[in-house]
Amino acid sequence: MLVKVRAAAIQPGEVMIRRGARHGRWPATFPSGQGSDLAGVVTEAGPQVRGIAVGDEVLGFTHNRASHAEFVVVEDVNLTLRPEGLSWEVAGSLYVAGTTAYATVFAVDPGPDDTVVVSGAAGGVGSLAMQLARRRGATVIGLASRTNHAWLQDHGVVPVEYGDGVADRIQQTSGGKVDAFIDTFGDGYVDLAVTLGVRPERINTIRDWEAAARVGARTYGEGTAACAVVVGELARLAARGELEVPIARSYPLDRVRDAFRELEQGHTHGKIVLRP
């Protein structure tokens, strides 16, 4: 289908791809497009398309690094209908962050008796992972800067400031009991989880693959749950107000450079979205 894009989020991983910092994992040939997340209106449909028609409002993803554009060609299996009441910004932000968060929670399998630590808890993935873990009844400790603590508390999460001494603060907050660890940031958190006594099979990282291989932790991410069924489930939760997707800022498409400059500062609460 041909989709007229109404919103498309940008991702930290796209920064790495552009810089070549993860070429072994995400190779790219330049010049290259960017963008996986998308939401928009179907303007043309091929003869084999089923379940979605011209004029339908949809959200989903492309694997062709092509959604940062006015129009994008998408396979029908990668799209789902936009639920009533779901904003374009949220609809265009759900695929990468949402399916990654979904996979991380699945990987550590939290339950009502568990205490789970989430690093980068106010970021694009972390803000969703901590909510999904809370929906499963777990006690969640969210690592974030102090400016985001009130938001975490409003969502039933116990905030802890990251930085020097974070291990002691987690121990004190958890009473010495940490059952699972979701790392959305990297930078030593896998080793921290081991230090806290978390079993490797209940540690999941989306950044520090080397540490995960060394200790036997999991690396479930967006690719693990990359399907329109999961995106649709998350969209319905968001439309009902049961999952908040923070939107940090929207930029017009012709200011894509400014959008990435803001993202690269590394302190964004929620998603940055392009609006063609």
Side-chain angles (χ1 to χ4, degrees):
M1 286 173 288
L2 183 67
V3 177
K4 181 176 176 58
V5 179
R6 295 290 300 273
I10 66 175
Q11 318 295 336
E14 290 158 357
V15 175
M16 297 178 185
I17 290 171
R18 190 178 70 247
R19 292 175 175 172
R22 293 288 188 270
H23 187 72
R25 191 176 184 91
W26 297 315
T29 301
F30 296 98
S32 171
Q34 288 197 134
S36 299
D37 291 44
L38 66 98
V41 180
V42 177
T43 60
E44 295 183 36
Q48 304 302 318
V49 169
R50 297 292 182 270
I52 297 176
V54 171
D56 282 347
E57 297 178 349
V58 295
L59 68 148
F61 58 96
T62 172
H63 290 309
N64 297 326
R65 296 177 185 166
S67 70
H68 297 170
E70 295 177 347
F71 292 87
V72 60
V73 175
V74 190
E75 295 183 18
D76 57 353
V77 294
N78 294 342
L79 294 174
T80 188
L81 295 173
R82 181 172 76 117
E84 184 177 354
L86 188 70
S87 73
W88 284 115
E89 287 86 356
V90 170
S93 301
L94 269 174
Y95 168 62
V96 171
T99 60
T100 301
Y102 187 100
T104 64
V105 173
F106 176 84
V108 303
D109 192 25
D113 296 328
D114 289 327
T115 296
V116 183
V117 176
V118 179
S119 69
V125 175
S127 62
L128 302 182
M130 62 88 173
Q131 291 180 71
L132 293 174
R134 284 288 299 131
R135 286 182 60 81
R136 296 182 63 164
T139 297
V140 179
I141 295 173
L143 306 185
S145 63
R146 190 169 295 276
T147 56
N148 293 310
H149 283 193
W151 186 84
L152 294 176
Q153 289 174 325
D154 288 344
H155 290 77
V157 173
V158 182
V160 168
E161 192 164 11
Y162 64 84
D164 292 342
V166 67
D168 291 337
R169 290 192 291 276
I170 293 172
Q171 291 276 28
Q172 182 177 5
T173 302
S174 67
K177 177 183 178 293
V178 177
D179 303 288
F181 201 111
I182 295 173
D183 171 34
T184 74
F185 193 80
D187 196 26
Y189 281 116
V190 170
D191 291 327
L192 172 62
V194 173
T195 300
L196 293 170
V198 183
R199 301 196 312 271
E201 65 270 22
R202 301 204 71 190
I203 302 169
N204 192 83
T205 180
I206 63 170
R207 289 290 187 89
D208 199 344
W209 303 291
E210 292 181 2
R214 173 165 40 82
V215 306
R218 295 182 171 181
T219 57
Y220 288 22
E222 161 253 317
T224 310
C227 68
V229 173
V230 171
V231 175
E233 179 182 343
L234 296 171
R236 289 186 288 274
L237 287 174
R240 295 197 299 263
E242 298 175 27
L243 180 70
E244 182 181 353
V245 183
I247 303 298
R249 190 170 177 184
S250 296
Y251 285 86
L253 184 59
D254 60 6
R255 291 187 59 198
V256 60
R257 293 180 181 179
D258 293 333
F260 272 103
R261 288 188 184 103
E262 179 173 343
L263 178 69
E264 289 166 8
Q265 293 175 10
H267 298 289
T268 303
H269 172 46
K271 301 299 298 179
I272 295 176
V273 187
L274 300 176
R275 290 295 305 266

